[in-house]
Every structure is written in C-alpha cells, then in structure tokens.
Amino acid sequence: MKKVYDSASEALDGLLHDGMLVAAGGFGLCGIPELLLAAIRDAGTKDMTFASNNAGVDDFGIGILLQTRQVKKMISSYVGENAEFMRQYLSGELELEFNPQGTLAERMRAGGCGIPGFYTKTGVGTVIAEGKEHHDFDGETYILERGIVADLSIVKAWKADDTGNLVFRKTARNFNPPAAMCGKVCVAEVEEIVPRESLDGDMIHLPGIYVHRIIQGDHEKRIEQRTVRQREEA
Amino acid sequence: MPWDRNQMAARAADELEDGWYVNLGIGIPTLVANYVGDKDITLQSENGMLGMGPFPFEGDEDPDLINAGKQTITELSRTAYFDSAQSFGMIRGGKIAMAILGAMEVAENGDLANWMIPGKLVKGMGGAMDLVAGVGRVVVVMDHTNKKGESKVLKACTLPLTGAGVVDRIITDLGVLDVTHKGLHIEELAPGVTREQMIAATEGTIV
C-alpha cells in the first residue's frame, strides 16, 4: 500500500469536506504541519473545526486559514499570539472552545486509543468544569472529559520511512503524536523520507499504523520568539 | 526594603529541594532558574522536555527547540523529549514536585486566578490549569499589589479561576505567606517590612 505522495494537495485529495474536524499537531509555530495547512487554504474547505493547541500567528500556521475565513471553530488552550483570531472571536465570527493544554492532549490520545472519556482533576472548580459530569474517586473530585476523534489529522515530523514510521526532533514532537493518533485518517509531512533500514525500530516515536499518507517538503520552520544569551568574552 | 524581582526569585529558589523535577512559569518564575545553586534540579517545559537549558548563543537558535513560552532554548546532557500527552501525564500524575508561577489574584483559601480577564484579554489557560491541579506543590510568585496599589492577595478571587484551593505558598515583594485552613500565615517578611505593613497590603485574612 503506497503511503508516499508527491505533494500536500495530492495527499489531501478526497479527505477534505466542509464542516470537518481536523486535529493538527504543533506547539506555537514549532512542529506545525505548515505545508498541509497551506494546501487546505488552497483547497478552500469551509466551516472547519480545528483541534490544535494554538492558532498560529496572523500569516503563518492556522492563522492563514483564519485570514481566508475557513475556520468556524477552534479547540485550543492558548491563542494569544494572533490578532486576527482575536478580532474574529470578539466579533462573534469565530467560535472558541478553551481546553486546558493537558486535557486537550489527553482528549486526542484517548480518542486514538478507543477511550471515549476520562476523568481528570484539571479544571475542577473553574469555568472548564461547568456542565461536565463530576465524580469523586478516593476523596477527590474529578470531571469527565471526552476523547476526540477527528475526521483528519495533520502532523509534522522530522523523518519518516515509506511505511509511515515517524521520528520527531526535539520539542517539535509536542502535540503531533496525540493529534496523529486521534484522526480517522492521518497525513504527515516530513523533512525527509528515508529508506526503511535507516530508521532503528527501537527509536520510532510514532509507528506507521497511525499514519496513512506522507509527503516530504521544504519547511520554513519559523521562530516565534528568538531569545539568545551573550557569548562570554574569550 | 521589599524584595525586587530577582530577590523574589532567589527566595522562591529556596523552596526547591535537591533531585526535584520542577516547572517554572513565565515572568519572575523564569528567573528562579538563576538561583538554584548546587541543587540538582531538572526543569520541565510542558511542551515536551525535561532538562531545559539556557537561551542559545546568537546563531545557535533552533526552531525545533523552544520552551512553553515559545522562546528558543537549549538542551542539556540530561535532556529528554516526549509528546504533549506524556508531558501532561507526568504533570497530572503528580511526578512534578513543584510548579512556581505568576498570578493575577490569589485568595486566602488557595484559589488562583491567572488566565483570564473577562471582556478584555482572552488568551487561554495554556497548561496552567493542568499544572496547578497536578503537581505536588504550587508556589505563586508575584507583586503583592497591582499597578493601582490594590491587594492581589484577596478574601476571594474576582477573576475566573485557574484552580480552586490549589496554592500552597505565596511569595511577594513583601514576604512569604502560607495558605492554611484558617487563613494566611506569615511565614517570612522581606527585610524592613513590618507585620502591620503586610496586613495592610493584604485583603485576605492573615492569622
């Protein structure tokens, strides 16, 4: 079964439809599926819901789909870096469901693991708990959170083999594995597709069973906040 | 003289014990890393890293290596990377001994508000709700009063909560307060700060 496609638009062919739920990997602008997001923009898919920790910045990441009004709703933990997001949200054009970051990650992981819901202490006594089932275990109160199963997952990895085994690099792993796991279909973009034997089976971060289509491409990998320290004088 | 930002961070660093895994929030808590001294402390960054190093030298920035504040950082010889679900698994699972974070408001019962001002700024809670619910001990480091001079240590929070009854200790420019079942207990006063000054600057009940 061929998993490797030539371009992002080919890899998404037949997978996009209006009103769909997409789970996207990435944290800030780190490890985001930038090529697939651009292809979704070009495809013009409308009324999309994105489960993604952040919403990118105005002109990069999911931000490019906000500019084109393709996103109806975001499920995110933090959206502070995006002025267009704020404008659309405050004017009521864009729906927003805040999830605590760990709850969002676990909702994705659970959804991919066939777990429809789980109890967590996170958010008990806050607005996040409103309307959710509460249950006490061993004297502590927990709330019920639902697993997420997305119509499509889009993720970014460092390397893949042609069977879809993925290796991530440093903190660019972040939400990519749980996002990949929770999709009915997962498309991964990578910096390099390598021969099978060059990936050590003990070092695979996400097995190819979760990955259905793969593309290789050039990534901008933009830095959101460049912080440095001074070199000491020799 | 009340403590300045660096003195507050240094005082917060005294809370850390050798061998601990710790999560530091943005702002003054980030400065705590400068004062850990000889203690063996491993810093967690909740975007998926244990063993966070300092900022890189100019030219060494790596877009794949950032902290939870999205700043470029470096790794250490002990560094381990993992995904967000595992990261918050170790937070929720109580493996992180302490979180040191900033706050907009703290109440005498340990309620914490640091993520949202209704009608104003809607940025999101990020990982703050998970951290305060999951880690072993929560220490807040913040200025005692806001820019208008109003107390940030309250009888009850007015802003939406990040967590209910989650704060164990509050370190401010005026000193150190512990959250107890009876109210706030003065653990320490900054040099030159009197008990009366602390009480006057605190809306919450000091016992």
Side-chain angles (χ1 to χ4, degrees), chain B residues 134-202:
Chain B
V135 302
R137 201 168 151 74
V138 173
V139 173
V140 163
V141 183
M142 64 175 192
D143 291 325
H144 207 94
T145 54
N146 64 21
K147 283 172 187 155
K148 294 181 197 161
E150 300 159 340
S151 182
K152 293 171 69 177
V153 184
L154 306 174
K155 290 190 186 306
C157 290
T158 64
L159 296 169
L161 297 186
T162 309
V166 294
V167 175
D168 296 292
R169 180 166 277 192
I170 309 161
I171 299 174
T172 75
D173 46 329
L174 299 185
V176 181
L177 295 172
D178 270 353
V179 176
T180 73
H181 293 299
K182 295 175 188 164
L184 299 162
H185 170 76
I186 299 175
E187 180 70 21
E188 188 177 335
L189 293 165
V193 175
T194 65
R195 183 178 165 83
E196 288 64 38
Q197 285 171 321
M198 174 65 98
I199 291 169
T202 307

Side-chain angles (χ1 to χ4, degrees), chain A residues 27-50:
Chain A
F27 181 92
L29 302 181
C30 180
I32 58 172
E34 54 183 270
L35 307 174
L36 292 161
L37 288 169
I40 291 172
R41 177 195 56 199
D42 295 345
T45 316
K46 294 262 184 295
D47 295 326
M48 307 181 83
T49 296
F50 271 86

Side-chain angles (χ1 to χ4, degrees), chain B residues 16-89:
Chain B
L16 304 176
E17 291 181 18
D18 193 55
W20 273 8
Y21 293 82
V22 173
N23 186 294
L24 301 179
I26 294 166
I28 302 174
T30 305
L31 302 174
V32 174
N34 300 333
Y35 300 97
V36 296
D38 293 337
K39 284 182 277 195
D40 182 22
I41 300 294
T42 305
L43 298 180
Q44 196 229 26
S45 189
E46 66 265 26
N47 53 317
M49 178 183 199
L50 279 167
M52 181 167 44
F55 293 150
F57 293 119
E58 194 166 358
D60 291 344
E61 308 94 310
D62 183 342
D64 289 339
L65 185 43
I66 63 169
N67 63 17
K70 286 129 191 169
Q71 298 170 313
T72 48
I73 47 161
T74 55
E75 64 185 13
L76 304 171
S77 57
R78 67 170 57 184
T79 296
Y81 299 106
F82 34 85
D83 69 54
S84 299
Q86 182 166 17
S87 181
F88 283 92

